Amino acid sequence: MLMQNKRILVCGVANERSIAWSIARRLHAEGAELAFSYPNEAIEKRVRPLAESVGSSIVLPCDVTRDEDLDAMTAALGAEWDGVDGVVHAIAFAQREELKGRFIETSRQGFQLALDISAYSLVALAKRMETLLTARSGAIVTLTYFGAEKVLPHYNVMGVAKAALEASMRYLAADLGPKGVRINALSAGPMKTLSAAGITGFKTMLHHHAERAPLQRNTTGDDVASTGLYLLSELAAGVTGEVVHVDGGYNIIGM
Ligand code: NAD
């Protein structure tokens, strides 16, 4: 088993459809010990039973917009574990009104909120986890999307946030590399989750993707779980600062 005796913090499980949950289940199947975070009580109600189902009793509150939450989660985790082998960052948010119509209409407040939750949170989390990750030469994986690279209808400010997330990931890779800590981004094809439901025309995106991707199908939870496992495991010991596409090859097609 690839993750025997490995301790992984998973941030971003909202329900059983979450990408973070697919990755968590695979890590568990490979022997990992898991901890989870949740941003509010509504999500906590869903995360606790899921955590329990994979034998995890470490379930901690953390709204990434609050420094005090990030500090408290880090302290609580440090009290349980002497180090962390991996962190899954699968967190993003934009207001619904920003995910339709023209990007030019993005409000200052909507821009700041999307960038704060979806991009800065990776920096804030990496900073808090640095000592625990260094103790075990750990790795971070974050979730991104093709909208960082190319314009997609209605993805709007989230595309800009993902571009910032990917650039942040590279700068973090340079900072953390000398400490033996790796960080990579997994760029998943569109998948039907709670967050995706907020994007206008998402069904059309799914249909278009399956039609155009070389593999002629949509991305699955198993697809992202396998690559998430790889990036967090010894198999990717020489890989950092990369954006790995798990999209059936969609991103290589021009026409
Ligand atoms: P999801 O809704 O299941 O997960 C999003 C998570 O973000 C939720 O758990 C939510 O609680 C968390 N979150 C939002 N605001 C937060 C805050 N202030 N503090 C802490 N957590 C907060 O949806 P998902 O599709 O599994 O999304 C996970 C990641 O994957 C996101 O970064 C998303 O952009 C990315 N992604 C999704 C797709 C897709 O098509 N679903 C494709 C590529 C990348």
Side-chain angles (χ1 to χ4, degrees):
M1 291 211 283
L2 270 173
M3 303 307 278
Q4 199 76 56
N5 301 319
K6 302 283 187 195
R7 292 172 160 173
I8 315 276
L9 170 66
V10 181
C11 304
V13 175
N15 57 37
E16 60 288 338
R17 280 182 178 273
S18 295
I19 290 176
W21 179 241
S22 294
I23 297 172
R25 272 190 321 183
R26 176 62 68 84
L27 293 169
H28 171 68
E30 291 290 333
E33 192 182 336
L34 303 176
F36 293 87
S37 73
Y38 61 87
N40 54 50
E41 281 175 20
I43 304 281
E44 179 186 9
K45 283 194 188 110
R46 294 192 173 261
V47 175
R48 281 203 182 274
L50 291 173
E52 220 167 90
S53 74
V54 291
S56 170
S57 56
I58 309 175
V59 183
L60 304 164
C62 183
D63 176 336
V64 294
T65 61
R66 296 162 53 92
D67 282 333
E68 55 272 38
D69 278 20
L70 285 155
D71 291 338
M73 177 177 74
T74 307
L77 200 63
E80 300 272 352
W81 290 350
D82 58 1
V84 170
D85 298 281
V87 174
V88 177
H89 173 279
I91 291 172
F93 181 79
Q95 293 167 151
R96 205 170 257 265
E97 60 264 33
E98 312 287 0
L99 298 174
K100 60 182 175 200
R102 300 172 79 209
F103 169 68
I104 204 168
E105 307 290 351
T106 307
S107 69
R108 185 184 302 274
Q109 178 266 339
F111 188 98
Q112 286 172 346
L113 186 67
L115 271 282
D116 185 21
I117 297 181
S118 315
Y120 179 71
S121 65
L122 179 68
V123 185
L125 186 62
K127 183 180 170 193
R128 300 316 191 287
M129 288 295 133
E130 183 175 3
T131 305
L132 286 168
L133 281 164
T134 303
R136 286 186 164 228
S137 301
I140 305 173
V141 64
T142 185
L143 268 297
T144 187
Y145 181 59
F146 190 48
E149 302 166 53
K150 299 288 177 192
V151 175
L152 292 156
H154 309 299
Y155 201 62
N156 296 352
V157 72
M158 192 53 82
V160 176
K162 290 303 191 193
L165 177 78
E166 292 180 11
S168 302
M169 180 278 295
R170 286 187 286 272
Y171 276 90
L172 290 168
D175 280 351
L176 296 172
K179 304 210 160 188
V181 175
R182 300 180 299 104
I183 178 166
N184 293 286
L186 190 169
S187 187
M191 295 171 64
K192 213 171 160 192
T193 63
L194 191 64
S195 293
I199 303 163
T200 303
F202 185 74
K203 260 194 193 151
T204 312
M205 272 169 87
L206 275 178
H207 184 72
H208 179 82
H209 187 97
E211 211 170 61
R212 303 291 168 91
L215 292 185
Q216 300 272 284
R217 63 171 177 81
N218 282 123
T219 303
T220 66
D222 285 344
D223 292 335
V224 290
S226 300
T227 301
L229 167 67
Y230 154 71
L231 289 172
L232 290 171
S233 77
E234 280 299 306
L235 295 178
V239 182
T240 195
E242 288 287 345
V243 177
V244 180
H245 293 87
V246 182
D247 64 350
Y250 182 88
N251 74 94
I252 66 160
I253 298 299
M255 186 177 156

